[in-house]
Amino acid sequence: MNTSNSSLRDLEYQSMYIMREAWHHFHDSLVMPYSMGKDSSVLLWLAKKAFFGHVPFPLLHIDTSYEFPEMYSFREEMAKKHNLNIIVKRNEEALARKVGYEHVDPETGRTYSSVKVTEQLKTLALKQAIAEGKWRAMITGVRKDEDPVRAKERFFSPRNAESTWDVADQPPELWGLFSTDMPPDGHMRVQPLLDWTETNIWEYIKANDIPIPSLYFSREGKRFRSLGCHPITHPVNSPASNIDEIIEELRATRVPERAGRAQDHEKENAMESLRLKGFF
């Protein structure tokens, strides 16, 4: 890593250590969700570095069918460039019922809420993928600074058979020791980026020249800080057109990273509700 930032190196070493611990305990049943965003791009880079140039486990893209077109192109580009095994999963049953942002929810008579679409097309699709793949662990890009609910996570965070999260019963993690115990038929969420900040992510992308989608850079005075389904993901006002400008902007802003993600703000405690049900 071409950087003199010792704290960034410490984060890198910690993340690679956690990834290797996950591989040691779950190598026969390990997967890494891949959203093609900035955090996923850093995770992919770290995985290649931790495992000497290749990724020894499959990547999982939960595809709602509402990705930005640029994201699909980026996925195919990265798969080809890094020789990745990317599994794409959709909740086909929900899509067949026309669950979507533009469709009417028969239960309410109104268009589907963003929270309900997220539950159906992301959370349930993830549960289906876990059941089909029989994965016992997954490496995710969750960071504490994204949301107060995510700040309650652990590096190794167990989920039960229904993928639900008992936020009040998290295992202690002291002196670099991690518990890999989990409920019967449950799985483990492994979260190597937990201590990283949004600024750290961008500093690491700059230091390693990591490819990222162009949607993060300003177009006509607006850019995306967080990428999700295009109907409910909105850009923020920003002139930042390169990584240096993004880093400088983040050091001054007080606008939350997920301010442009509609499902987070649809109702009180929306993110906590989604995560308790198995959302990333």
Side-chain angles (χ1 to χ4, degrees):
M1 178 169 53
N2 183 24
T3 179
S4 59
N5 189 330
S6 61
S7 64
L8 204 59
R9 285 199 303 272
D10 289 344
L11 287 170
E12 178 189 66
Y13 296 156
Q14 179 189 62
S15 296
M16 290 194 298
Y17 171 68
I18 291 167
M19 283 186 165
R20 288 167 178 162
E21 282 290 291
W23 176 251
H24 172 72
H25 290 284
F26 303 109
H27 64 273
D28 59 335
S29 185
L30 181 65
V31 69
M32 186 167 79
Y34 182 57
S35 70
M36 296 87 71
K38 62 185 186 302
D39 301 292
S40 280
S41 297
V42 167
L43 272 183
L44 175 57
W45 185 273
L46 288 166
K48 285 177 64 68
K49 194 164 186 176
F51 299 104
F52 310 103
H54 76 288
V55 181
F57 38 76
L59 274 60
L60 172 66
H61 176 210
I62 300 298
D63 183 7
T64 65
S65 79
Y66 288 99
E67 302 284 1
F68 288 92
E70 293 96 325
M71 302 301 278
Y72 289 116
S73 299
F74 188 79
R75 182 185 72 190
E76 299 312 309
E77 179 185 347
M78 291 299 103
K80 183 177 180 180
K81 179 177 180 178
H82 299 294
N83 192 30
L84 302 173
N85 174 17
I86 301 181
I87 299 167
V88 179
K89 174 62 181 177
R90 290 185 176 188
N91 185 348
E92 298 292 356
E93 185 275 333
L95 290 170
R97 288 190 286 108
K98 296 189 180 300
V99 174
Y101 304 102
E102 74 277 29
H103 299 305
V104 174
D105 182 348
E107 292 183 4
T108 66
R110 300 187 296 272
T111 53
Y112 278 96
S113 69
S114 58
V115 169
K116 192 163 187 178
V117 175
T118 300
E119 288 178 355
Q120 292 284 312
L121 300 187
K122 284 190 176 181
T123 305
L124 286 182
L126 176 62
K127 292 180 180 181
Q128 292 166 359
I130 292 169
E132 293 166 8
K134 296 181 171 58
W135 292 305
R136 296 190 300 130
M138 59 175 56
I139 296 173
T140 81
V142 168
R143 302 189 335 264
K144 290 178 182 176
D145 75 324
E146 288 180 284
D147 184 271
V149 178
R150 287 174 167 165
K152 301 174 185 177
E153 287 278 9
R154 298 290 189 269
F155 291 110
F156 282 71
S157 185
R159 300 300 197 265
N160 66 17
E162 289 74 41
S163 294
T164 55
W165 176 40
D166 186 351
V167 67
D169 185 24
Q170 292 292 290
E173 293 181 333
L174 305 173
W175 308 295
L177 300 176
F178 309 115
S179 171
T180 56
D181 294 336
M182 55 188 171
D185 300 320
H187 70 274
M188 186 68 68
R189 302 278 176 98
V190 182
Q191 295 158 160
L193 300 182
L194 208 56
D195 283 348
W196 294 56
T197 66
E198 185 182 5
T199 302
N200 292 150
I201 292 293
W202 283 107
E203 289 171 338
Y204 193 77
I205 288 170
K206 176 188 175 183
N208 294 281
D209 195 23
I210 299 173
I212 54 169
S214 61
L215 291 164
Y216 287 112
F217 301 114
S218 182
R219 300 176 183 177
E220 299 180 353
K222 293 181 179 293
R223 73 176 188 88
F224 293 92
R225 281 178 67 187
S226 179
L227 294 171
C229 295
H230 66 78
I232 59 166
T233 303
H234 310 296
V236 298
N237 294 324
S238 170
S241 59
N242 59 55
I243 293 176
D244 284 326
E245 291 176 355
I246 289 174
I247 292 172
E248 189 64 27
E249 178 181 86
L250 290 178
R251 288 172 177 163
T253 188
R254 294 188 177 183
V255 177
E257 179 179 358
R258 294 177 64 91
R261 302 289 286 272
Q263 78 268 22
D264 290 23
H265 315 292
E266 186 171 290
K267 62 182 181 180
E268 187 177 0
N269 299 325
M271 175 56 76
E272 182 165 7
S273 174
L274 286 168
R275 286 190 64 73
L276 291 175
K277 293 177 181 177
F279 184 62
F280 292 113

